[in-house]
Amino acid sequence: MAYPPAAHPSPPRQPSVKVILAAADVSRVVDRIAHQILEKTQGAAGTVLLGIPTRGVPLAHRLAARISTFEDVTVPVGVLDITLYRDDLRRHATRAVGPTDLPPGGIDGKRVVLVDDVLFSGRTVRAALDALSDVGRPASVQLAVLVDRGHRQLPIRADYVGKNIPTALAENVKVTLAETDGTDEVKLYGGTPA
């Protein structure tokens, strides 16, 4: 009796990877956000940029540098660590607590622009707002993000968005920056190739 040839399983499909922003695109997006901050804040008077670690910190420094180039204005930059304010501490591996470093002059009575790389559920921003209330009382708080990928779980929106990227929940957006990763790029991971 002859047996049919053994079926060879197809190799599993690899998730697709798509470059959304290359290095030159990231630079243009940062320039655009810097211009928008200048316009919306009347020349960035009384404005402080606070980066949310990890990639929000170098983005805040880049924005401050571009604002200075465009308008010869020095915008103070600081770091706001949100580790202890996250609502997922029990669900994920232990994180090291980083420093919160406010610029000289603090944030009281200032317009604070929180800076982060990706806006997704809104939970990071909620944690940042909680952390902010423990370090001072700003006159107002705004949000600048390089990428907004949607799927909010909280009623939070960004005031300045570099790129809106519609995504599926199963997809991931990965931002790499020269300061932290060696290169500037935004990639979308997920789905399967056609």
Side-chain angles (χ1 to χ4, degrees), residues 16-20 165-167 171-173 186-190:
S16 65
V17 179
K18 181 178 179 186
V19 174
I20 302 296
I165 301 175
T167 63
E171 294 175 316
N172 289 309
V173 173
V186 177
K187 289 183 178 178
L188 179 66
Y189 291 85

Side-chain angles (χ1 to χ4, degrees), residues 59-110:
L59 285 172
H61 283 283
R62 287 186 191 190
L63 286 168
R66 298 311 294 154
I67 288 169
S68 178
T69 298
F70 298 145
E71 291 289 328
D72 197 26
V73 174
T74 300
V75 177
V77 179
V79 177
L80 184 65
D81 182 66
I82 63 162
T83 303
L84 296 177
Y85 298 88
R86 298 184 63 90
D87 63 3
D88 61 356
L89 281 176
R90 286 183 229 101
R91 297 175 61 196
H92 296 293
T94 305
R95 299 169 178 243
V97 176
T100 288
D101 182 23
L102 298 181
I107 61 167
D108 290 338
K110 307 277 176 63

Side-chain angles (χ1 to χ4, degrees), residues 19-182:
V19 174
I20 302 296
L21 298 173
D25 302 319
V26 171
S27 181
R28 272 192 299 276
V29 165
V30 170
D31 285 355
R32 186 172 62 244
I33 294 171
H35 279 293
Q36 290 172 348
I37 290 171
L38 282 166
E39 290 172 15
K40 195 168 182 178
T41 63
Q42 295 76 43
T47 299
V48 172
L49 301 176
L50 290 183
I52 300 171
T54 296
R55 289 169 189 84
V57 176
L59 285 172
H61 283 283
R62 287 186 191 190
L63 286 168
R66 298 311 294 154
I67 288 169
S68 178
T69 298
F70 298 145
E71 291 289 328
D72 197 26
V73 174
T74 300
V75 177
V77 179
V79 177
L80 184 65
D81 182 66
I82 63 162
T83 303
L84 296 177
Y85 298 88
R86 298 184 63 90
D87 63 3
D88 61 356
L89 281 176
R90 286 183 229 101
R91 297 175 61 196
H92 296 293
T94 305
R95 299 169 178 243
V97 176
T100 288
D101 182 23
L102 298 181
I107 61 167
D108 290 338
K110 307 277 176 63
R111 175 187 303 108
V112 170
V113 179
L114 296 172
V115 182
D116 204 6
D117 57 348
V118 178
L119 178 57
F120 179 31
S121 66
R123 292 181 181 277
T124 296
V125 177
R126 189 223 30 96
L129 292 169
D130 288 348
L132 196 59
S133 70
D134 279 353
V135 297
R137 191 173 194 281
S140 65
V141 180
Q142 297 178 345
L143 176 62
V145 296
L146 189 66
V147 173
D148 184 345
R149 62 163 292 185
H151 303 288
R152 218 74 75 239
Q153 296 172 352
L154 299 171
I156 290 174
R157 68 165 181 79
D159 299 276
Y160 312 100
V161 177
K163 179 91 172 160
N164 284 295
I165 301 175
T167 63
L169 275 173
E171 294 175 316
N172 289 309
V173 173
K174 176 68 176 163
V175 173
T176 58
L177 297 176
E179 297 89 337
T180 56
D181 310 292

